[in-house]
CSV table of all heavy atoms in Angstrom, one decimal:
chain,number,residue,atom,x,y,z
A,1,PRO,N,310.4,95.7,149.5
A,1,PRO,CA,311.3,96.2,148.5
A,1,PRO,C,311.2,97.7,148.3
A,1,PRO,O,310.1,98.3,148.5
A,1,PRO,CB,310.8,95.4,147.2
A,1,PRO,CG,309.4,95.0,147.6
A,1,PRO,CD,309.4,94.8,149.0
A,2,THR,N,312.3,98.3,148.0
A,2,THR,CA,312.4,99.8,147.9
A,2,THR,C,312.4,100.2,146.5
A,2,THR,O,313.1,99.6,145.6
A,2,THR,CB,313.6,100.3,148.6
A,2,THR,OG1,313.6,100.0,150.0
A,2,THR,CG2,313.7,101.8,148.5
A,3,VAL,N,311.6,101.2,146.2
A,3,VAL,CA,311.6,101.9,144.9
A,3,VAL,C,312.4,103.2,145.0
A,3,VAL,O,312.0,104.1,145.7
A,3,VAL,CB,310.2,102.2,144.3
A,3,VAL,CG1,310.3,102.8,142.9
A,3,VAL,CG2,309.4,100.9,144.3
A,4,ASN,N,313.6,103.2,144.4
A,4,ASN,CA,314.4,104.4,144.5
A,4,ASN,C,314.1,105.3,143.3
A,4,ASN,O,314.1,104.9,142.1
A,4,ASN,CB,315.9,104.0,144.4
A,4,ASN,CG,316.4,103.5,145.7
A,4,ASN,OD1,316.0,103.9,146.8
A,4,ASN,ND2,317.3,102.5,145.6
A,5,VAL,N,313.7,106.6,143.6
A,5,VAL,CA,313.3,107.5,142.6
A,5,VAL,C,314.2,108.7,142.6
A,5,VAL,O,314.6,109.2,143.6
A,5,VAL,CB,311.8,108.0,143.0
A,5,VAL,CG1,311.4,109.0,141.9
A,5,VAL,CG2,310.9,106.8,143.1
A,6,ALA,N,314.6,109.1,141.4
A,6,ALA,CA,315.4,110.3,141.1
A,6,ALA,C,314.4,111.3,140.5
A,6,ALA,O,313.8,111.1,139.5
A,6,ALA,CB,316.5,110.0,140.2
A,7,VAL,N,314.3,112.5,141.2
A,7,VAL,CA,313.5,113.6,140.7
A,7,VAL,C,314.3,114.6,140.1
A,7,VAL,O,315.0,115.4,140.8
A,7,VAL,CB,312.6,114.1,141.8
A,7,VAL,CG1,311.6,115.2,141.2
A,7,VAL,CG2,311.7,113.0,142.4
A,8,LEU,N,314.4,114.7,138.8
A,8,LEU,CA,315.2,115.7,138.1
A,8,LEU,C,314.3,116.9,137.8
A,8,LEU,O,313.3,116.8,137.0
A,8,LEU,CB,315.7,115.2,136.8
A,8,LEU,CG,316.5,113.9,136.9
A,8,LEU,CD1,317.2,113.4,135.6
A,8,LEU,CD2,317.6,114.0,138.0
A,9,GLY,N,314.6,118.1,138.4
A,9,GLY,CA,313.7,119.2,138.4
A,9,GLY,C,312.8,119.2,139.6
A,9,GLY,O,311.6,119.5,139.5
A,10,ALA,N,313.4,119.0,140.8
A,10,ALA,CA,312.6,118.8,142.0
A,10,ALA,C,311.9,120.0,142.5
A,10,ALA,O,311.0,120.0,143.3
A,10,ALA,CB,313.5,118.1,143.1
A,11,THR,N,312.5,121.2,142.2
A,11,THR,CA,311.9,122.5,142.7
A,11,THR,C,310.9,123.1,141.9
A,11,THR,O,310.3,124.1,142.3
A,11,THR,CB,313.1,123.5,142.9
A,11,THR,OG1,313.8,123.7,141.7
A,11,THR,CG2,314.1,123.0,143.9
A,12,GLY,N,310.6,122.5,140.7
A,12,GLY,CA,309.4,123.0,139.9
A,12,GLY,C,308.1,122.5,140.4
A,12,GLY,O,308.0,121.7,141.4
A,13,SER,N,307.0,122.9,139.7
A,13,SER,CA,305.7,122.5,140.2
A,13,SER,C,305.5,120.9,140.1
A,13,SER,O,304.9,120.3,141.0
A,13,SER,CB,304.6,123.2,139.4
A,13,SER,OG,304.8,122.9,138.0
A,14,ILE,N,306.0,120.3,139.0
A,14,ILE,CA,305.9,118.9,138.9
A,14,ILE,C,306.8,118.2,140.0
A,14,ILE,O,306.4,117.2,140.6
A,14,ILE,CB,306.3,118.4,137.5
A,14,ILE,CG1,305.4,118.9,136.5
A,14,ILE,CG2,306.4,116.9,137.5
A,14,ILE,CD1,304.0,118.4,136.6
A,15,GLY,N,308.0,118.7,140.2
A,15,GLY,CA,308.9,118.1,141.1
A,15,GLY,C,308.4,118.2,142.6
A,15,GLY,O,308.4,117.2,143.3
A,16,THR,N,307.8,119.3,143.0
A,16,THR,CA,307.3,119.4,144.4
A,16,THR,C,306.1,118.5,144.5
A,16,THR,O,305.9,117.9,145.6
A,16,THR,CB,307.0,120.8,144.7
A,16,THR,OG1,306.1,121.4,143.7
A,16,THR,CG2,308.2,121.7,144.8
A,17,ALA,N,305.3,118.4,143.5
A,17,ALA,CA,304.1,117.5,143.5
A,17,ALA,C,304.6,116.0,143.6
A,17,ALA,O,304.0,115.2,144.3
A,17,ALA,CB,303.2,117.7,142.3
A,18,THR,N,305.7,115.7,142.9
A,18,THR,CA,306.2,114.4,143.0
A,18,THR,C,306.7,114.0,144.4
A,18,THR,O,306.5,112.9,144.9
A,18,THR,CB,307.4,114.2,142.0
A,18,THR,OG1,306.9,114.5,140.7
A,18,THR,CG2,307.9,112.8,142.1
A,19,ILE,N,307.3,115.0,145.1
A,19,ILE,CA,307.7,114.8,146.5
A,19,ILE,C,306.5,114.5,147.3
A,19,ILE,O,306.6,113.5,148.2
A,19,ILE,CB,308.5,116.0,147.0
A,19,ILE,CG1,309.7,116.3,146.1
A,19,ILE,CG2,308.9,115.8,148.5
A,19,ILE,CD1,310.8,115.2,146.1
A,20,ASP,N,305.4,115.2,147.2
A,20,ASP,CA,304.2,114.9,147.9
A,20,ASP,C,303.7,113.5,147.6
A,20,ASP,O,303.3,112.8,148.6
A,20,ASP,CB,303.1,115.9,147.5
A,20,ASP,CG,303.3,117.3,148.0
A,20,ASP,OD1,304.1,117.4,148.9
A,20,ASP,OD2,302.6,118.2,147.5
A,21,VAL,N,303.8,113.1,146.4
A,21,VAL,CA,303.3,111.7,146.0
A,21,VAL,C,304.2,110.7,146.6
A,21,VAL,O,303.7,109.6,147.1
A,21,VAL,CB,303.3,111.6,144.5
A,21,VAL,CG1,303.1,110.1,144.1
A,21,VAL,CG2,302.2,112.4,143.8
A,22,LEU,N,305.5,110.9,146.7
A,22,LEU,CA,306.4,109.9,147.3
A,22,LEU,C,306.1,109.7,148.8
A,22,LEU,O,306.1,108.6,149.3
A,22,LEU,CB,307.9,110.3,147.1
A,22,LEU,CG,308.4,110.2,145.7
A,22,LEU,CD1,309.9,110.7,145.6
A,22,LEU,CD2,308.3,108.8,145.1
A,23,HIS,N,305.9,110.8,149.5
A,23,HIS,CA,305.5,110.7,150.9
A,23,HIS,C,304.2,109.9,151.1
A,23,HIS,O,304.1,109.1,151.9
A,23,HIS,CB,305.3,112.1,151.5
A,23,HIS,CG,306.6,112.9,151.7
A,23,HIS,ND1,307.6,112.3,152.5
A,23,HIS,CD2,307.1,114.1,151.3
A,23,HIS,CE1,308.6,113.2,152.6
A,23,HIS,NE2,308.3,114.3,151.8
A,24,HIS,N,303.2,110.3,150.2
A,24,HIS,CA,301.9,109.6,150.3
A,24,HIS,C,302.1,108.1,150.0
A,24,HIS,O,301.6,107.2,150.8
A,24,HIS,CB,301.0,110.2,149.3
A,24,HIS,CG,299.7,109.5,149.1
A,24,HIS,ND1,298.8,109.4,150.1
A,24,HIS,CD2,299.2,108.7,148.0
A,24,HIS,CE1,297.7,108.6,149.6
A,24,HIS,NE2,298.0,108.2,148.4
A,25,LEU,N,302.8,107.7,148.9
A,25,LEU,CA,303.0,106.3,148.6
A,25,LEU,C,303.7,105.6,149.7
A,25,LEU,O,303.4,104.4,150.0
A,25,LEU,CB,303.7,106.2,147.3
A,25,LEU,CG,303.0,106.6,146.0
A,25,LEU,CD1,303.9,106.5,144.8
A,25,LEU,CD2,301.8,105.7,145.8
A,26,ASP,N,304.7,106.2,150.3
A,26,ASP,CA,305.4,105.5,151.4
A,26,ASP,C,304.6,105.3,152.6
A,26,ASP,O,304.9,104.4,153.4
A,26,ASP,CB,306.7,106.3,151.8
A,26,ASP,CG,307.7,105.5,152.5
A,26,ASP,OD1,308.0,104.4,152.0
A,26,ASP,OD2,308.2,105.9,153.5
A,27,ARG,N,303.5,106.1,152.8
A,27,ARG,CA,302.6,105.9,153.9
A,27,ARG,C,301.6,104.8,153.6
A,27,ARG,O,301.3,104.0,154.5
A,27,ARG,CB,301.8,107.2,154.2
A,27,ARG,CG,302.6,108.2,154.9
A,27,ARG,CD,301.7,109.3,155.5
A,27,ARG,NE,300.8,109.9,154.4
A,27,ARG,CZ,301.1,111.0,153.7
A,27,ARG,NH1,302.3,111.5,153.9
A,27,ARG,NH2,300.3,111.5,152.8
A,28,ILE,N,301.1,104.7,152.4
A,28,ILE,CA,299.9,103.8,152.1
A,28,ILE,C,300.3,102.5,151.3
A,28,ILE,O,299.4,101.6,151.3
A,28,ILE,CB,298.8,104.6,151.4
A,28,ILE,CG1,299.3,105.1,150.0
A,28,ILE,CG2,298.4,105.8,152.2
A,28,ILE,CD1,298.8,104.3,148.9
A,29,ASP,N,301.4,102.5,150.7
A,29,ASP,CA,301.7,101.3,149.9
A,29,ASP,C,302.2,100.2,150.8
A,29,ASP,O,303.3,100.3,151.4
A,29,ASP,CB,302.8,101.6,148.8
A,29,ASP,CG,303.0,100.5,147.8
A,29,ASP,OD1,302.4,99.4,148.0
A,29,ASP,OD2,303.6,100.8,146.8
A,30,GLU,N,301.4,99.1,150.9
A,30,GLU,CA,301.8,98.0,151.8
A,30,GLU,C,302.7,97.0,151.2
A,30,GLU,O,303.1,96.0,151.8
A,30,GLU,CB,300.5,97.3,152.3
A,30,GLU,CG,299.6,98.2,153.1
A,30,GLU,CD,298.4,97.5,153.6
A,30,GLU,OE1,298.0,96.4,153.1
A,30,GLU,OE2,297.7,98.0,154.5
A,31,THR,N,303.1,97.2,149.9
A,31,THR,CA,304.0,96.3,149.2
A,31,THR,C,305.4,96.8,148.9
A,31,THR,O,306.3,96.0,148.6
A,31,THR,CB,303.3,95.8,147.9
A,31,THR,OG1,303.3,96.9,147.0
A,31,THR,CG2,302.0,95.2,148.1
A,32,LYS,N,305.5,98.1,149.0
A,32,LYS,CA,306.8,98.7,148.7
A,32,LYS,C,307.1,99.9,149.6
A,32,LYS,O,306.2,100.5,150.1
A,32,LYS,CB,306.8,99.2,147.2
A,32,LYS,CG,306.6,98.1,146.2
A,32,LYS,CD,306.6,98.7,144.8
A,32,LYS,CE,306.2,97.7,143.7
A,32,LYS,NZ,307.1,96.6,143.6
A,33,THR,N,308.4,100.2,149.7
A,33,THR,CA,308.9,101.4,150.3
A,33,THR,C,309.3,102.4,149.2
A,33,THR,O,310.1,102.0,148.3
A,33,THR,CB,310.0,101.2,151.3
A,33,THR,OG1,309.5,100.4,152.4
A,33,THR,CG2,310.6,102.4,151.9
A,34,TRP,N,309.0,103.7,149.3
A,34,TRP,CA,309.3,104.6,148.3
A,34,TRP,C,310.3,105.6,148.8
A,34,TRP,O,310.2,106.2,149.9
A,34,TRP,CB,308.1,105.4,147.8
A,34,TRP,CG,307.1,104.5,147.1
A,34,TRP,CD1,306.2,103.6,147.6
A,34,TRP,CD2,307.0,104.3,145.7
A,34,TRP,NE1,305.5,102.9,146.7
A,34,TRP,CE2,306.0,103.3,145.4
A,34,TRP,CE3,307.7,104.9,144.6
A,34,TRP,CZ2,305.7,102.9,144.2
A,34,TRP,CZ3,307.3,104.5,143.3
A,34,TRP,CH2,306.3,103.5,143.1
A,35,ASN,N,311.4,105.8,148.1
A,35,ASN,CA,312.6,106.5,148.6
A,35,ASN,C,313.0,107.6,147.5
A,35,ASN,O,313.1,107.3,146.3
A,35,ASN,CB,313.7,105.6,148.9
A,35,ASN,CG,315.0,106.3,149.3
A,35,ASN,OD1,314.9,107.1,150.2
A,35,ASN,ND2,316.1,105.9,148.7
A,36,LEU,N,313.3,108.8,148.0
A,36,LEU,CA,313.9,109.8,147.1
A,36,LEU,C,315.4,109.6,147.1
A,36,LEU,O,316.1,109.9,148.1
A,36,LEU,CB,313.6,111.2,147.6
A,36,LEU,CG,314.2,112.3,146.8
A,36,LEU,CD1,313.6,112.4,145.4
A,36,LEU,CD2,314.0,113.7,147.5
A,37,TRP,N,315.9,108.9,146.1
A,37,TRP,CA,317.4,108.6,146.0
A,37,TRP,C,318.2,109.8,145.6
A,37,TRP,O,319.4,109.9,146.0
A,37,TRP,CB,317.6,107.4,145.0
A,37,TRP,CG,318.9,106.8,145.2
A,37,TRP,CD1,319.3,105.8,146.0
A,37,TRP,CD2,320.1,107.1,144.5
A,37,TRP,NE1,320.6,105.4,145.9
A,37,TRP,CE2,321.1,106.2,144.9
A,37,TRP,CE3,320.4,108.0,143.5
A,37,TRP,CZ2,322.4,106.3,144.4
A,37,TRP,CZ3,321.7,108.1,143.0
A,37,TRP,CH2,322.7,107.2,143.5
A,38,ALA,N,317.7,110.6,144.7
A,38,ALA,CA,318.4,111.8,144.2
A,38,ALA,C,317.4,112.8,143.7
A,38,ALA,O,316.3,112.6,143.4
A,38,ALA,CB,319.3,111.4,143.0
A,39,ALA,N,317.9,114.1,143.8
A,39,ALA,CA,317.1,115.2,143.3
A,39,ALA,C,317.9,116.3,142.7
A,39,ALA,O,319.1,116.4,143.1
A,39,ALA,CB,316.3,115.8,144.5
A,40,SER,N,317.4,117.0,141.8
A,40,SER,CA,318.1,118.1,141.2
A,40,SER,C,317.3,119.4,141.2
A,40,SER,O,316.1,119.4,141.2
A,40,SER,CB,318.5,117.8,139.7
A,40,SER,OG,317.5,118.0,138.8
A,41,GLY,N,318.0,120.5,141.1
A,41,GLY,CA,317.4,121.8,141.0
A,41,GLY,C,318.3,122.8,140.3
A,41,GLY,O,319.4,122.4,139.8
A,42,HIS,N,317.9,124.0,140.2
A,42,HIS,CA,318.7,125.0,139.4
A,42,HIS,C,319.3,126.0,140.4
A,42,HIS,O,320.5,125.8,140.8
A,42,HIS,CB,317.9,125.7,138.4
A,42,HIS,CG,318.7,126.7,137.6
A,42,HIS,ND1,319.9,126.4,137.0
A,42,HIS,CD2,318.4,128.0,137.3
A,42,HIS,CE1,320.4,127.5,136.4
A,42,HIS,NE2,319.5,128.5,136.5
A,43,ARG,N,318.5,126.9,140.9
A,43,ARG,CA,319.1,127.9,141.9
A,43,ARG,C,318.3,128.0,143.2
A,43,ARG,O,318.8,128.7,144.1
A,43,ARG,CB,319.1,129.3,141.2
A,43,ARG,CG,320.1,129.5,140.1
A,43,ARG,CD,320.1,130.9,139.6
A,43,ARG,NE,321.0,131.1,138.5
A,43,ARG,CZ,320.8,131.8,137.5
A,43,ARG,NH1,319.6,132.5,137.4
A,43,ARG,NH2,321.7,132.0,136.5
A,44,ASN,N,317.2,127.3,143.3
A,44,ASN,CA,316.4,127.4,144.5
A,44,ASN,C,316.9,126.6,145.6
A,44,ASN,O,316.4,125.5,145.9
A,44,ASN,CB,314.9,127.1,144.2
A,44,ASN,CG,314.0,127.6,145.2
A,44,ASN,OD1,314.3,127.8,146.4
A,44,ASN,ND2,312.7,127.8,144.8
A,45,VAL,N,318.0,127.0,146.2
A,45,VAL,CA,318.8,126.3,147.2
A,45,VAL,C,317.9,126.0,148.4
A,45,VAL,O,317.9,124.9,149.0
A,45,VAL,CB,320.0,127.1,147.6
A,45,VAL,CG1,320.7,126.4,148.8
A,45,VAL,CG2,321.0,127.2,146.5
A,46,GLN,N,317.1,127.0,148.9
A,46,GLN,CA,316.3,126.8,150.1
A,46,GLN,C,315.3,125.8,149.9
A,46,GLN,O,315.1,124.9,150.8
A,46,GLN,CB,315.7,128.2,150.5
A,46,GLN,CG,314.8,128.1,151.7
A,46,GLN,CD,314.2,129.4,152.1
A,46,GLN,OE1,314.6,130.5,151.6
A,46,GLN,NE2,313.3,129.4,153.1
A,47,LEU,N,314.5,125.8,148.8
A,47,LEU,CA,313.5,124.8,148.6
A,47,LEU,C,314.0,123.4,148.4
A,47,LEU,O,313.5,122.5,149.0
A,47,LEU,CB,312.6,125.2,147.4
A,47,LEU,CG,311.5,124.3,147.0
A,47,LEU,CD1,310.5,124.1,148.2
A,47,LEU,CD2,310.7,124.8,145.8
């Protein structure tokens, strides 16, 4: 089963840490797949 996550404020310190956590969970969680379904930011287009 997939857990779809929306990260609102993805380019801030909490948002980038959340992206790290999603990658980690998708590697180690043997019961679920973790997916970034949507993300938002303000002006930091590159990040």
Side-chain angles (χ1 to χ4, degrees):
T2 297
V3 182
N4 286 324
V5 180
V7 182
L8 307 184
T11 56
S13 58
I14 296 294
T16 54
T18 301
I19 300 299
D20 287 345
V21 169
L22 289 178
H23 285 304
H24 170 68
L25 288 175
D26 200 46
R27 287 195 302 271
I28 63 103
D29 190 350
E30 297 184 342
T31 66
K32 300 179 187 297
T33 294
W34 293 82
N35 176 51
L36 179 67
W37 195 88
S40 80
H42 182 47
R43 290 186 181 139
N44 198 335
V45 172
Q46 180 178 348
L47 178 56

